[in-house]
Amino acid sequence: MGAISAIMTKDDAILSDELNHASIIDGCRLSGAKIIRVKHQDMTDLEEKAKTALESGRYKKIMYITDGVFSMDGDIANLPDMIPIAEKYGLITYVDDAHGSGVMGKGAGTVKHFGLNHKIDMQMGTLSKAIGVVGGYVAGSKLLIDWLKSRSRPFLFSTSLTPGAAGAALTSIQLMQDHPELVDKVWENAEYFKNELKKIGYDIGVSQTPITPVILGDETMTQRFSSKLIEQGIYVKPIVFPTVPLGTGRVRNMPTAEHTKEMLDQAIAVYLNVGKEMGII
Ligand SMILES: *Cc1c(COP(=O)(O)O)cnc(C)c1O
């Protein structure tokens, strides 16, 4: 919210993937720019809308904004195909990598994963997910960062991180750099967990990352399913409309580097039990 609204104004337009995170949508709204929704990961649609926006001559700046890893489905943004379109139509590029940092690109994020460091204007991430603390960051040119420091109202007019949180985040990043095996372990655990869920018959969607949704569909059923898992010791929260589209209710699993194979097997056993009991699998 603080970064988008400091850069974009009512004279600008923002091309925004339709499945972007709520904080992106709120940031776009706060900026007052024209918001143009782009079909999810559809580069043809992006190109058409970028062309129309540019040729209309109505906007001073046009930005394309996307999640690096989409938070509800776990699919990865198609940055390599997006870049040529951004270059052709002069788009500012912005990647919200809340779910990519600490996971993709050996921990450095989705942009690094694709080797596109110098092609993305703004990278934003959180310190609250893989880093495990609280807070967030924006990375970009020095000029951009200086501008944000003096123009980002949500940043200027709120309290900064506590020293404790900053210290914990630094230590966490240091740990990640010293122990790349932790990042490997997240992927290994996710791979195992996803395969086991698939084997017993669950729909885990299109995830390409450790985010592991189990898609159930009906909203009420999803909530019942989640309660039953919690009763049997597996804490997974239900995610239903309007957070995700109607009829695509799901529970979302986040395997971590700390899970042991025994824990994952225990979770799978509960999934098997509850799924059978409710007639889902
Ligand atoms: C979680 C999330 C955020 C917000 O991060 P916080 O640290 O909770 O403020 C922003 N963007 C995306 C894509 C997220 O998934």
Side-chain angles (χ1 to χ4, degrees):
M1 286 178 72
I4 303 164
S5 61
I7 299 296
M8 304 306 278
T9 74
K10 60 175 180 25
D11 299 324
D12 303 323
I14 305 175
L15 298 154
S16 173
D17 187 285
E18 64 185 345
L19 293 190
N20 275 346
H21 188 257
S23 63
I24 298 179
I25 297 168
D26 289 349
C28 294
R29 286 182 183 153
L30 187 61
S31 76
K34 166 82 179 164
I35 301 165
I36 303 167
R37 273 164 61 113
V38 177
K39 284 189 198 137
H40 181 53
Q41 299 257 46
D42 184 335
M43 294 300 130
T44 310
D45 193 45
L46 170 63
E47 172 142 24
E48 275 167 21
K49 286 176 175 159
K51 188 167 188 284
T52 307
L54 184 68
E55 287 175 357
S56 75
R58 274 204 296 215
Y59 308 112
K60 282 199 178 142
K61 302 192 289 297
I62 308 172
M63 172 186 275
Y64 175 64
I65 188 161
T66 182
D67 278 32
V69 171
F70 286 86
S71 52
M72 296 302 158
D73 293 289
D75 52 330
I76 302 168
N78 183 356
L79 301 180
D81 287 346
M82 181 275 286
I83 293 291
I85 301 172
E87 287 178 345
K88 188 166 168 192
Y89 299 98
L91 310 178
I92 298 171
T93 51
Y94 185 122
V95 174
D96 176 337
D97 213 19
H99 282 277
S101 59
V103 178
M104 298 288 294
K106 304 212 175 300
T110 308
V111 172
K112 188 79 180 276
H113 164 79
F114 287 120
L116 293 171
N117 302 31
H118 301 293
K119 300 275 185 182
I120 301 292
D121 298 310
M122 300 173 75
Q123 286 190 63
M124 171 256 151
T126 173
L127 301 175
S128 71
K129 285 169 183 156
I131 313 299
V133 190
V134 71
Y137 61 85
V138 181
S141 69
K142 178 157 188 323
L143 191 63
L144 170 74
I145 302 308
D146 285 345
W147 177 269
L148 291 180
K149 280 182 185 164
S150 57
R151 294 298 286 262
S152 167
R153 292 174 61 88
F155 171 75
L156 283 171
F157 299 109
S158 61
T159 305
S160 56
L161 282 188
T162 63
L170 281 172
T171 304
S172 180
I173 291 165
Q174 191 65 53
L175 270 172
M176 244 168 36
Q177 287 179 341
D178 293 347
H179 296 279
E181 73 275 10
L182 288 173
V183 180
D184 297 339
K185 187 76 185 162
V186 176
W187 285 89
E188 199 184 300
N189 279 348
E191 185 80 3
Y192 178 74
F193 191 60
K194 285 157 101 172
N195 278 336
E196 293 300 307
L197 283 173
K198 261 197 275 190
K199 260 194 239 161
I200 59 177
Y202 282 105
D203 173 9
I204 61 164
V206 295
S207 174
Q208 300 166 282
T209 57
I211 295 173
T212 307
V214 168
I215 300 168
L216 300 151
D218 179 74
E219 285 68 31
T220 313
M221 201 244 283
T222 303
Q223 270 155 343
R224 261 201 310 134
F225 183 79
S226 163
S227 305
K228 282 189 184 285
L229 288 178
I230 292 170
E231 273 166 32
Q232 299 194 27
I234 307 300
Y235 181 58
V236 264
K237 299 235 289 188
I239 303 176
V240 296
F241 179 80
T243 306
V244 292
L246 197 63
T248 69
R250 65 201 61 193
V251 294
R252 187 175 55 162
N253 301 272
M254 298 292 194
T256 76
E258 291 292 292
H259 284 120
T260 61
K261 182 162 178 301
E262 290 67 35
M263 290 174 188
L264 297 175
D265 285 339
Q266 189 190 342
I268 295 294
V270 172
Y271 265 101
L272 187 63
N273 255 342
V274 174
K276 286 243 156 78
E277 194 185 313
M278 290 181 64
I280 295 166
I281 51 167

